[in-house]
Amino acid sequence: MLRPVFDAHLHIIDPRFPLIENHGFLPDPYTVSNYLYDVDGLGITGGAVVSGSFQGTDQSYLLAALEALGRGWVGVTQIDPECSDEDVVALDAAGVRGMRFNLKRGETDVEMLTTQARRVHELVGWHAELYVDASLLLSLEPILAKLPAVSIDHLGLSTQGLPYLLNLVDRGVRVKATGFGRVDLDIADTLQQIHRVNPAALMFGTDLPGTRAPRPFSENDIDIITHAVGGDLPAVLDGNARAWYRVS
């Protein structure tokens, strides 16, 4: 029997909906059907569809993807600062559970980040998801200290900021075990260090389709996680993320 897996980080790129060229890049289509084909046989029973920079604040693609995927799937979105409380509540009812901030490419106003993250958490309980190089975490400390719930994408991307990342993990920040083809660090060692600090912190995701990554997800990535976390593998592949995203 396949073990249940919650894919905590994937992108759907549906050409029926608006896409924005970003730094000269426009991604190829990657539909729900493409995704389900690629993960067939992995035991995935739910996951989090994450809005990319190339989708801006468009919600139409995300709502369509969540409807197509069905029960057990949630969304992570980007919203316009002028988005009304009613709109946020409606997105929550549709299955959105987090708000993403892209600091990697300088697309997020850090002052606005605090205001928006606190607002959506107080309103509907969403956490903030940060796409950020860990080397920036120390400089972001005054901001991060004000955020009630945070996760970091792709192991924080680099070794340079790992001590700062581990400090945040000790304070309850979650980390996505995703995007191994993107990172500049010893993946196995980083997984082990994060897991030692807080076994509930790591959340597996495929990061499919791996836009702009030197290499996309491979099933070997699960083998790396297996060796790093041992008996806690079911939590890292499924339970941790289900609890974080509030998926029963």
Side-chain angles (χ1 to χ4, degrees):
M1 179 182 295
L2 288 173
R3 58 184 177 271
V5 176
F6 187 94
D7 185 350
H9 197 101
L10 65 120
H11 300 282
I12 298 297
I13 305 162
D14 192 328
R16 296 178 300 166
F17 302 102
L19 291 170
I20 303 167
E21 186 173 298
N22 179 264
H23 291 243
F25 174 80
L26 197 64
D28 293 329
Y30 191 73
T31 65
V32 169
S33 295
N34 295 144
Y35 170 75
L36 293 176
Y37 177 85
D38 284 347
V39 300
D40 184 44
L42 291 182
I44 290 175
T45 58
V49 180
V50 178
S51 291
S53 58
F54 40 78
Q55 284 153 329
T57 58
D58 171 62
Q59 311 298 337
S60 57
Y61 97 91
L62 182 58
L63 296 175
L66 293 179
E67 183 176 1
L69 287 163
R71 181 178 175 84
W73 297 83
V74 297
V76 179
T77 195
Q78 302 163 138
I79 63 171
D80 188 288
E82 302 303 318
C83 184
S84 70
D85 287 356
E86 291 76 15
D87 288 338
V88 173
V89 170
L91 288 171
D92 183 72
V96 176
R97 292 293 179 267
M99 186 170 178
R100 195 185 198 208
F101 299 92
N102 190 328
L103 298 165
K104 169 67 174 173
R105 298 189 178 91
E107 294 161 5
T108 297
D109 181 315
V110 292
E111 293 183 6
M112 186 63 70
L113 187 161
T114 305
T115 302
Q116 289 186 310
R118 290 174 66 90
R119 174 195 173 205
V120 297
H121 186 271
E122 292 169 3
L123 190 61
V124 287
W126 293 357
H127 61 269
E129 299 204 357
L130 306 186
Y131 181 30
V132 60
D133 192 300
S135 62
L136 298 175
L137 292 177
L138 182 60
S139 64
L140 292 171
E141 171 62 25
I143 293 169
L144 297 176
K146 299 176 183 177
L147 303 185
V150 178
S151 68
I152 305 290
D153 291 347
H154 311 322
L155 298 177
L157 294 172
S158 74
T159 301
Q160 185 178 356
L162 183 57
Y164 311 130
L165 180 63
L166 294 174
N167 180 264
L168 291 173
V169 169
D170 192 42
R171 290 155 50 188
V173 168
R174 271 40 174 192
V175 180
K176 292 192 178 182
T178 59
F180 292 177
R182 301 180 185 275
V183 303
D184 178 23
L185 44 75
D186 183 322
I187 295 168
D189 180 65
T190 301
L191 290 168
Q192 289 171 346
Q193 290 198 58
I194 292 170
H195 182 253
R196 279 197 296 268
V197 173
N198 182 1
L202 286 171
M203 304 182 294
F204 163 77
T206 64
D207 187 37
L208 284 169
T211 54
R212 289 188 270 204
R215 76 159 177 86
F217 166 76
S218 162
E219 289 190 39
N220 291 334
D221 294 342
I222 295 179
D223 294 333
I224 296 172
I225 296 171
T226 301
H227 292 305
V229 305
D232 279 337
L233 184 65
V236 175
L237 291 184
D238 188 65
N240 289 347
R242 284 188 180 277
W244 185 244
Y245 284 102
R246 294 172 285 139
V247 177
S248 58

